[in-house]
Amino acid sequence: MVGLSHAGCFDDMRSDEVRNIILVGFMASGKSSVGRALSRRTGWPRIDADDEIVYRAGKPISDIFRDSGEDAFRQIEREVTTDICNETGRIIAAGGGSFIDEQNRKTMLELGTVFYLSARPDTIHRRVTRGNPNAPVRPMLAGGDPLKRITELLKQRAPVYANAHHAVETDGLSPEQVAHEIIKICGPGITKQSN
Ligand code: S3P
């Protein structure tokens, strides 16, 4: 499936109904790179929630997990999510766990059009390691075999990601191709020039 909305149709939205475009999905599903491509096509500013968290905490995400634990990270993530979703006309790339939180999910579904970028575990594994088995391990994948951890975590999370307004399968697609599918769903009025 590529770019099928829940309504099963590309032309069911008017672009003036889109307040924010919010990208959710597992780590390395392409949220940041698709966000950049969408920002180029629409002219809408892009906000990366993880960058905002790092800015507010004054340290990298791995240090927040190490120094204060996941709960503290999730608390900052909730504050950031509320603040950025209350903007208008933004392309928002959420962190991989953000939509799993009930409060964040409600906020995103109310204040934006939410796209789940899906990817198979092997695709995610290849992207996170970038072909380098010694690449730094992200906090949520630490401890054990990363492919096994990705498969388990994705199995838990996939039913929750399915609450997004739309889903786009990203395996084998470039960020530009995924952005193109999203623009087809939103309608061409969302782009700088109709294309
Ligand atoms: C997380 C995903 C990360 C980051 C944090 C937790 C998760 O974001 O927010 O490490 O729980 O899946 P990306 O999806 O941008 O890697």
Side-chain angles (χ1 to χ4, degrees), residues 22-77:
I22 305 178
L23 306 175
V24 305
F26 206 79
M27 283 163 259
S29 56
K31 302 176 298 285
S32 299
S33 48
V34 171
R36 273 190 288 276
L38 278 172
S39 180
R40 277 195 299 274
R41 293 280 301 273
T42 59
W44 291 15
R46 179 183 69 92
I47 304 180
D48 202 305
D50 282 347
D51 290 349
E52 187 58 31
I53 293 169
V54 168
Y55 175 75
R56 289 197 192 183
K59 53 175 126 172
I61 288 176
S62 51
D63 290 7
I64 308 173
F65 271 79
R66 188 198 58 209
D67 298 345
S68 315
E70 184 178 351
D71 286 353
F73 170 80
R74 298 295 173 199
Q75 185 52 40
I76 309 173
E77 183 172 60

Side-chain angles (χ1 to χ4, degrees), residues 91-135:
I91 309 290
I92 298 171
S98 175
F99 195 66
I100 305 306
D101 178 89
E102 193 178 353
Q103 182 187 317
N104 290 341
R105 197 158 62 246
K106 192 163 172 286
T107 303
M108 292 186 204
L109 290 168
E110 267 173 25
L111 298 176
T113 302
V114 182
F115 290 86
Y116 166 38
L117 307 189
S118 74
R120 290 191 313 263
D122 58 305
T123 305
I124 292 165
H125 183 245
R126 200 176 48 250
R127 289 179 188 161
V128 290
T129 57
R130 292 188 199 92
N132 171 10
N134 299 318

